[in-house]
Amino acid sequence: MNTRSLGETAQALVVASRGLLAMDESTGTCNKRFAEVGIPQTVEFRRAYREMIVTTPGLADCIGGAILYDETIREKTRDGTPFVDILVEAGIIPGIKVDAGAKDLAGHSGEKVTEGLDGLRERLAEYFRMGARFAKWRAVIRIGEGIPSRGCIDVNANALARYAALCQEAGLVPVVEPEVLMDGNHTLQKCQEVTDWVLRATFSELVAQRVVLEGMILKPNMVLPGLECKKQQTVDEVADATVGCLLRAVPAAVPVVAFLSGGQSAELASARLNSMNVRFQGRLPWSLAFSFARAVQQPAMEIWKGDDKNVPAAQKALYHRARCNWAARRGEYNAAMEN
Ligand code: 13P
């Protein structure tokens, strides 16, 4: 394993205030989002949508890595150029989602375990040959009555660590994503407690599996009140709760923390990331970046609607969100950028 090159890739993914673009929706998730905005759910519409994204002019100004899905990493633009070549040419490092999705966890009603370890070594070798230099695995933790359980947290942490070790063996930087969901009426305090627990369990397993912390990226949730919680904290309160939690649980050797957006509005995700970078500037051991899917893509998808003539406007919207988050990394985002 070349530890130094893993560390260099991790840094390169977010250099110059850039972030990651998650465009790795599974076929099911992509179809669900298409259905919500009236786009036909076919392989050709999914391909055309991803072509719209990867050919967005100037995207590499703000995006250092794009996370693809198995279907997407094999696809080409209409004129026959592989998406991977388009990205590399632009200066965006291709990545790949390698988990097989969150499945019901036996004996744990309402909880999930992420699968996909079987055959992973061989799949990682194939993705590396195809040009991927980093990978993603998402674990899902739900807060509710009596959950999460220790069984759920431990099994997901162990799977994340086994995945991360295999990635590093294959020369890919693992993006380790333990997501505590926003769904529910829990308080911010509860989210903080659970996120702290999940992160500690995850790092304990990462260390046990001999994952090189310098050669990974953590992709956590922000610490937020549940979507249905009556008390919704301010942007700055969320920033303080999130960074406080990370400072207690994430080792300083980790080079990059890149948040998921998790269903927050695009504007709030940018504002909260910005606040963290303003309030803790110069006081953090890791860079605080983004690895958003919905908070970068959603406005563009709603404009595109599956129609070729909307491509330029959709690309403009995509670039705008990427730019807002680039600014948020620098602590330079403000509401006026939205006009
Ligand atoms: P969201 O930003 O939409 O939460 O997606 C991030 C992601 O990659 C989920 O795995």
Side-chain angles (χ1 to χ4, degrees):
M1 185 203 310
N2 187 338
T3 310
R4 210 175 81 206
S5 88
L6 289 171
E8 284 167 3
T9 302
Q11 303 278 6
L13 283 163
V14 298
V15 76
S17 309
R18 298 189 299 171
L20 307 180
L21 171 60
M23 49 178 293
D24 60 334
E25 296 81 6
S26 64
T27 301
T29 302
C30 187
N31 285 347
K32 194 173 112 210
R33 300 208 174 132
F34 275 10
E36 281 161 12
V37 291
I39 300 168
Q41 296 108 63
T42 67
V43 65
E44 176 49 22
F45 275 92
R46 289 193 299 275
R47 194 208 58 76
Y49 176 64
R50 269 70 180 250
E51 174 168 346
M52 182 277 289
I53 294 176
V54 300
T55 58
T56 294
L59 191 63
D61 300 348
C62 316
I63 299 295
I67 313 173
L68 306 173
Y69 177 58
D70 185 72
E71 177 175 271
T72 320
I73 197 171
R74 300 167 196 281
E75 284 175 331
K76 302 182 167 93
T77 57
R78 215 165 274 167
D79 70 9
T81 314
F83 286 173
V84 169
D85 293 358
I86 303 263
L87 292 169
V88 171
E89 181 68 22
I92 297 174
I93 301 173
I96 180 77
K97 182 236 289 294
V98 300
D99 67 64
K103 308 289 158 64
D104 290 342
L105 178 61
H108 293 72
S109 175
E111 296 192 288
K112 304 268 186 196
V113 59
T114 300
E115 296 187 348
L117 289 168
D118 289 354
L120 183 57
R121 176 176 275 131
E122 292 72 26
R123 288 196 291 129
L124 291 172
E126 186 194 8
Y127 290 136
F128 187 92
R129 284 195 298 275
M130 294 171 85
R133 290 296 175 268
F134 70 108
K136 188 195 95 172
W137 178 290
R138 171 176 177 253
V140 182
I141 308 294
R142 182 178 292 280
I143 298 177
E145 200 58 39
I147 61 172
S149 66
R150 187 166 70 84
C152 172
I153 290 178
D154 287 357
V155 76
N156 277 293
N158 180 259
L160 278 166
R162 288 186 59 200
Y163 138 82
L166 283 162
C167 283
Q168 292 190 333
E169 179 189 87
L172 294 155
V173 171
V175 173
V176 172
E177 181 179 12
E179 175 174 4
V180 178
L181 296 175
M182 297 172 72
D183 305 342
N185 60 4
H186 54 272
T187 61
L188 172 137
Q189 177 62 29
K190 181 72 188 174
C191 177
Q192 181 158 359
E193 277 165 31
V194 171
T195 302
D196 181 84
W197 180 12
V198 167
L199 291 175
R200 284 174 201 270
T202 300
F203 279 101
S204 168
E205 290 292 327
L206 288 167
V207 170
Q209 296 305 322
R210 303 183 177 162
V211 172
V212 177
L213 300 182
E214 290 83 351
M216 64 163 277
I217 292 178
L218 178 70
K219 176 164 174 167
N221 51 285
M222 295 185 191
V223 172
L224 304 170
L227 279 171
E228 285 96 50
C229 180
K230 283 200 201 76
K231 179 157 175 56
Q232 293 288 321
Q233 277 77 4
T234 65
V235 165
D236 288 349
E237 285 168 340
V238 165
D240 290 354
T242 301
V243 177
C245 182
L246 295 175
L247 281 170
R248 288 186 292 270
V250 181
V254 173
V256 180
V257 172
F259 291 104
L260 61 95
S261 60
Q264 307 172 62
S265 76
E267 292 80 5
L268 264 180
S270 301
R272 287 163 169 165
L273 177 62
N274 185 72
S275 174
M276 291 181 222
N277 279 307
V278 169
R279 293 164 78 79
F280 294 89
Q281 193 190 23
R283 293 200 279 142
L284 298 174
W286 1 260
S287 21
L288 277 188
F290 58 92
S291 177
F292 298 157
R294 282 164 286 180
V296 170
Q297 289 184 46
Q298 194 63 32
M301 186 187 287
E302 287 167 17
I303 292 168
W304 179 63
K305 284 200 166 67
D307 191 336
D308 273 349
K309 77 172 183 325
N310 298 331
V311 165
Q315 290 181 328
K316 207 167 150 224
L318 189 83
Y319 182 84
H320 172 68
R321 289 267 46 97
R323 192 74 181 172
C324 287
N325 292 308
W326 173 88
R329 281 211 56 200
R330 305 165 65 83
E332 293 171 0
Y333 169 81
N334 56 61
M337 282 185 75
E338 302 295 353
N339 303 319

